[in-house]
DNA sequence: CGGCCAAGCGTGACAATGTCACCGACGCGC
DNA sequence: GCGCGTCGGTGACATTGTCACGCTTGGCCG
């Protein structure tokens, strides 16, 4: 609980923790700390960082934005993970329209590209870390494709409510925000939540959902 | 047009073409050639190869399979590309349900994992090749998510017909297969094709679609 | 040849989801 | 209190998914 919790941030990451002391010291010199306020765009089509991001504190919501104003959340980057989509898009010059938004205030370690290259070349365990990060995102996206293409909306909503609530019995979210999570329209969420409420699974107030029957939601998330 | 067109396969790939001669010779020793017949499963949940695949000839269709028997095509791996999803899934031990199917007879170069690791460590241009391959797949998947979540089915079908037809005016595909391409049900394809036919965009016969009005399909693929 | 059978396709009825238009309720600043 | 923007509710309709069924085609086999 020090004033500078990232004094040695290399302790916080799988891929850097196991590195030899001298390499870690080199990293500490090369990297910079950067902060983002909640709600800020961390990266986007018009804002591609030239460094690799290590997320020390907070979480980033990665969303895909459609032409007509609809969104869908692809995945979240949590503390201790790195954000590879940005590096992906640094390499592939293709068009894409995903953006990362600070879901909380963030503390980020940025490692310049040259140092990143050097590290991947020299340190096998760091390389594994990077590949594992890519793999996790690929698999996250496979899951999104599967859900969007094949899963019922009530099931997806139930699952997402539980996820967003975490251990709490209540979560702050408007119907619009939930629609953005799942890539659907607000009206659909309103109708489903109305139904959940009638069945006693949740209670609603303006901008807030209370989980009333966690077991029932879990059952719905499993089976549809 | 030799009998052994892959005598030096390192010429066929971005990531290996630029390597020094001695590295390429080492690769030629380490790698093996493998063939798959059209329709064979190249990889899948129960069949994870322990090598990196370089696709020399043919193309692989990567599909995601849902529980209830429905499919969706995620992307295709063409000659000159490598198939990173398999390596992704070697690393991340998570469950996934994508599989690669030989769309034609294949000639594949397989590079054992140890040699792959060594190469990524030592050769920057190979490393770039691998990262670029990951990036391309990530972006392919972003496109799939976008289409499935937000695009109209008639638009997606028109686009896919043009893609599958290539330069030909005709393609061999059943309604079921087209449904698998787009992750929808056969009936939906049947209805849409019936409509396309009534409007004079295509003509149908059993297992075959003829493109009658390419411009109209293109227009539909653009705007919906 | 004739009959059987599986694959391919057509179709109607209904359910789930997306779209559009509109409205009321609530919270906030003036 | 009043105006105003965000949030949520609702009905009508379009699109897409699901289910059940039946017809046709082409191949295979007696």
């Amino acid at each position: 609980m020090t004033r500078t919790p990232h004094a040695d941030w290399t302790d916080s990451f799988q891929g850097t923790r196991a590195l030899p002391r001298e390499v870690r010291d080199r990293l500490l010199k090369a990297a910079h700390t950067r902060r983002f306020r909640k709600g800020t765009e961390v990266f986007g089509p018009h804002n591609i960082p030239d460094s690799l991001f290590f997320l020390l504190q907070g979480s980033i919501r990665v969303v895909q934005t459609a032409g007509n104003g609809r969104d869908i959340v692809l995945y979240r980057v949590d503390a201790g993970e790195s954000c590879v989509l940005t590096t992906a898009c640094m390499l592939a010059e293709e068009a894409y329209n995903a953006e990362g938004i600070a879901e909380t205030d963030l503390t980020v370690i940025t490692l310049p590209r040259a140092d990143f290259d050097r590290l991947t070349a020299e340190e096998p365990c760091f390389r594994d870390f990077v590949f594992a990060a890519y793999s996790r995102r690929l698999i996250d996206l496979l899951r999104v494709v599967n859900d969007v293409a094949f899963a019922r909306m009530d099931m997806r909503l139930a699952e997402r409510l539980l996820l967003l609530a975490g251990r709490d019995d209540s979560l702050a979210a408007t119907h619009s925000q939930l629609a953005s999570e799942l890539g659907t329209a607000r009206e659909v969420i309103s109708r489903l939540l109305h139904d959940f409420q009638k069945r006693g699974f949740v209670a609603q107030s303006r901008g807030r959902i209370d989980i009333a029957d966690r077991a029932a939601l879990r059952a719905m998330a499993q089976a549809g």
Side-chain angles (χ1 to χ4, degrees), chain A residues 139-158:
Chain A
I139 289 180
D140 285 346
L141 287 186
L142 290 185
R143 176 71 196 277
V144 174
V145 169
N146 202 69
D147 284 358
V148 172
F150 304 128
R152 293 175 51 95
M153 196 57 81
D154 51 3
M155 166 177 162
R156 293 175 59 205
L157 178 58

Side-chain angles (χ1 to χ4, degrees), chain A residues 145-191:
Chain A
V145 169
N146 202 69
D147 284 358
V148 172
F150 304 128
R152 293 175 51 95
M153 196 57 81
D154 51 3
M155 166 177 162
R156 293 175 59 205
L157 178 58
E159 184 180 33
R160 190 56 61 117
L161 288 176
L162 291 172
L163 178 72
L164 293 175
R167 301 180 176 287
D168 297 339
D169 284 335
S170 172
L171 66 144
T174 68
H175 294 189
S176 272
Q177 287 168 338
L178 291 171
S180 281
E181 289 279 332
L182 300 178
T184 183
R186 183 202 41 98
E187 295 92 319
V188 176
I189 300 294
S190 292
R191 281 197 287 251

Side-chain angles (χ1 to χ4, degrees), chain A residues 19-221:
Chain A
L19 294 174
R21 189 66 250 172
E22 80 260 21
V23 178
R24 289 172 60 168
D25 287 338
R26 205 176 69 210
L27 278 180
L28 292 178
K29 280 220 186 76
H32 296 268
T33 302
R34 211 171 141 189
R35 292 170 193 284
F36 292 90
R37 293 214 171 274
K38 175 173 174 173
T40 317
E41 174 177 308
V42 178
F43 67 90
H46 305 298
N47 172 20
I48 303 181
D50 57 352
S51 310
L52 181 70
F53 277 31
F54 292 92
L55 189 52
L56 200 58
Q57 288 180 332
S59 91
I60 301 174
R61 173 166 33 99
V62 179
V63 306
Q64 169 124 8
T65 308
N68 55 342
R70 261 169 64 191
D71 291 343
I72 185 170
V73 172
L74 298 174
Y75 55 82
R76 289 181 161 82
V77 183
D78 293 317
E81 300 182 331
S82 85
C83 186
V84 292
L85 187 55
T86 62
T87 69
C89 299
M90 275 160 41
L91 296 170
E93 308 276 334
E94 304 190 48
Y96 72 106
N97 47 357
E99 56 179 350
I101 295 172
E103 197 150 46
T104 63
D105 286 351
L106 301 183
T107 309
V108 173
I109 308 292
T110 69
L111 186 68
R113 176 116 211 255
D115 299 281
F116 167 72
D117 281 346
R118 187 168 165 197
L119 204 57
T120 43
E122 294 176 359
E123 301 295 339
C125 79
F126 181 77
R127 200 161 53 235
D128 288 347
F129 173 71
V130 172
F131 279 125
Y134 266 95
S135 303
R136 187 159 333 112
R137 293 320 165 204
L138 269 174
I139 289 180
D140 285 346
L141 287 186
L142 290 185
R143 176 71 196 277
V144 174
V145 169
N146 202 69
D147 284 358
V148 172
F150 304 128
R152 293 175 51 95
M153 196 57 81
D154 51 3
M155 166 177 162
R156 293 175 59 205
L157 178 58
E159 184 180 33
R160 190 56 61 117
L161 288 176
L162 291 172
L163 178 72
L164 293 175
R167 301 180 176 287
D168 297 339
D169 284 335
S170 172
L171 66 144
T174 68
H175 294 189
S176 272
Q177 287 168 338
L178 291 171
S180 281
E181 289 279 332
L182 300 178
T184 183
R186 183 202 41 98
E187 295 92 319
V188 176
I189 300 294
S190 292
R191 281 197 287 251
L192 286 174
L193 280 178
H194 187 77
D195 188 55
F196 285 8
Q197 189 174 31
K198 249 187 353 197
R199 297 209 249 168
F201 297 171
V202 303
Q204 297 186 65
S205 47
R206 192 184 178 88
R208 174 160 294 280
I209 317 279
D210 301 286
I211 311 280
D213 187 344
R214 195 174 283 265
L217 287 178
R218 244 194 310 263
M220 172 166 294

